[in-house]
């Protein structure tokens, strides 16, 4: 079983069409990985599916970086 | 113009404009899934497409029920994959002058003609966004712009569909997804057969073309909007009404 970190990074790569080597824990989805507003919505939906959880909009807005997403998932699943 | 390799979902495809659209998209090579509210209707769609030698079939879906939309989409996705083309055509009328209009007449028309478009569009968007290609074509009506006595509910729903479509078009255009409306005028279908001779005569007098439209004349415009050639047309309403109203 992969770790949360690995699973999150895999989804980020799939959704944003970036290479694994480009994705650091500190990477910002918008500034570093080039996500637009639709990308971030799709990313959140993909995370919800992968981790079978629901991320409320006000929480989703705070997920700015890969580490933010990992922390949220660890704390809520 | 070819729609080879595409899967299209057409709601309300057992007769009238929906049937003509289903057959036209299929003629151009798409696999077409048409919806009807009954098993009999769905079977008629399957048989009609088969008899014409086209790929596709009918399924049961009541667009006024969220659960039914979900189930229908699941069925078609398992069988054919997610739709790249969605034609929201299913619609009803419950005409009455406003002073006599019942809440139920209002609610059912808004639910079936407007809320359904929101639900089906939302349900297909992710697949289209992933594919970076999609076409959503909503069948509006000339009365959305013109207004029509006795159709406050229908006019509100159709004008709502046009506004919704423009918003959707702006949201999704950088994903290769277009959203447009086709607004038919007076087309020769069961819906317009309900009108009496006097109403029909009054309508014909305001149609410069001097005749009713054929459902196929609506279908050909839908097919254009579904094609690659229409990739840069989005948020638009195309009128098909013999000159009766020009926006």
């Amino acid at each position: 079983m992969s770790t949360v970190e690995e699973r999150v990074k895999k989804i980020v790569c799939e959704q944003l069409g970036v290479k694994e080597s480009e994705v650091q824990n500190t990477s910002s989805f918008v500034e570093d990985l080039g996500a637009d507003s639709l990308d971030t919505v799709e990313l959140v939906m993909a995370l919800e599916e992968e981790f079978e959880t629901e991320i409320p909009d006000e929480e989703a807005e705070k997920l700015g970086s890969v580490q933010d997403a990992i922390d949220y998932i660890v704390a809520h699943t | 113009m070819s729609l080879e390799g595409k899967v299209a979902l057409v709601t309300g495809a057992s007769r009238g404009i929906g049937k003509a659209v289903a057959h036209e998209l299929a003629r151009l090579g798409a696999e077409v899934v048409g919806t009807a509210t009954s098993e009999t209707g769905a079977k008629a769609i399957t048989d009609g497409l088969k008899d014409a030698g086209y790929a596709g079939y009918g399924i049961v879906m009541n667009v006024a029920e969220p659960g039914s939309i979900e189930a229908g989409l699941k069925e078609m996705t398992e069988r054919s994959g997610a739709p790249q083309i969605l034609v929201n055509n299913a619609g009803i009328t419950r005409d009455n002058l406003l002073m006599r209009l019942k809440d139920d007449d209002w609610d059912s028309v808004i639910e079936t003609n407007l809320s359904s478009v929101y639900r089906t569009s939302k349900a297909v968007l992710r697949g289209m966004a992933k594919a970076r290609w999609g076409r959503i074509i909503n069948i509006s009506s000339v009365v959305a712009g013109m207004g029509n006595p006795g159709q406050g509910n229908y006019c509100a729903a159709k004008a709502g569909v046009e506004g919704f479509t423009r918003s959707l078009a702006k949201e999704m255009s950088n994903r290769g997804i277009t959203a447009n409306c086709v607004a038919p005028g007076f087309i020769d279908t069961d819906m317009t057969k309900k009108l009496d001779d006097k109403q029909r005569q009054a309508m014909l007098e305001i149609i410069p073309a001097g005749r009713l439209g054929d459902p196929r004349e609506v279908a050909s415009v839908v097919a254009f909007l579904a094609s690659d050639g229409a990739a840069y047309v989005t948020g638009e309403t195309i009128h098909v009404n013999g000159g009766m109203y020009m926006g």
Side-chain angles (χ1 to χ4, degrees), chain B:
Chain B
M1 203 159 82
S2 167
L3 299 175
E4 212 67 55
K6 298 287 195 290
V7 178
L9 175 64
V10 181
T11 68
S14 64
R15 56 201 170 119
I17 291 170
K19 182 180 179 184
V21 167
H23 280 240
E24 179 63 4
L25 299 182
R27 187 182 72 79
L28 292 166
E31 179 183 5
V32 176
V33 181
T35 78
T37 48
S38 67
E39 288 287 353
T40 322
K43 185 165 185 301
I45 294 169
T46 304
D47 293 347
L49 288 166
K50 203 168 149 198
D51 290 348
Y54 297 144
Y57 50 90
I59 59 170
V60 176
M61 184 193 283
N62 179 355
V63 297
E65 285 173 21
S68 176
I69 292 176
E70 203 178 313
L73 271 165
K74 189 161 174 271
E75 182 185 344
M76 86 163 278
T77 304
E78 277 166 10
R79 216 166 138 182
S80 309
Q84 293 104 347
I85 301 167
L86 167 66
V87 182
N88 283 304
N89 166 75
I92 56 165
T93 54
R94 295 274 187 277
D95 297 353
N96 214 336
L97 292 172
L98 183 53
M99 289 172 76
R100 296 287 294 165
L101 195 74
K102 306 277 186 294
D103 283 356
D104 184 54
D105 298 330
W106 174 267
D107 292 340
S108 57
V109 167
I110 295 293
E111 198 62 31
T112 306
N113 297 11
L114 175 59
S115 304
S116 66
V117 175
Y118 148 72
R119 290 197 186 94
T120 53
S121 301
K122 189 173 162 183
V124 301
L125 273 186
R126 272 191 91 186
M128 290 180 180
K130 272 189 187 148
R132 295 290 190 271
W133 199 96
R135 296 283 185 272
I136 296 178
I137 300 149
N138 298 323
I139 306 301
S140 173
S141 167
V142 64
V143 301
M146 246 177 61
N148 201 21
Q151 290 201 303
N153 48 2
Y154 189 77
C155 294
K158 292 301 192 183
V161 167
E162 291 184 4
F164 170 79
T165 304
R166 286 189 282 269
S167 232
L168 178 59
K170 288 202 171 180
E171 283 188 24
M172 302 308 293
S173 58
N174 69 354
R175 290 296 189 275
I177 300 170
T178 68
N180 291 286
C181 289
V182 174
F186 202 41
I187 310 296
D188 194 8
T189 65
D190 289 348
M191 197 181 263
T192 51
K193 281 193 181 79
K194 282 192 215 162
L195 301 167
D196 60 32
D197 283 349
K198 209 176 136 199
Q199 288 171 312
R200 182 173 290 255
Q201 199 48 48
M203 276 289 192
L204 283 174
E205 275 165 22
I206 58 166
I207 303 172
R211 64 175 177 86
L212 271 58
D214 186 287
R216 286 170 299 188
E217 292 170 315
V218 179
S220 57
V221 179
V222 173
F224 162 68
L225 289 170
S227 73
D228 280 320
Y232 207 55
V233 180
T234 194
E236 196 53 61
T237 296
I238 301 187
H239 289 274
V240 183
N241 61 31
M244 127 187 216
Y245 178 78
M246 299 171 186

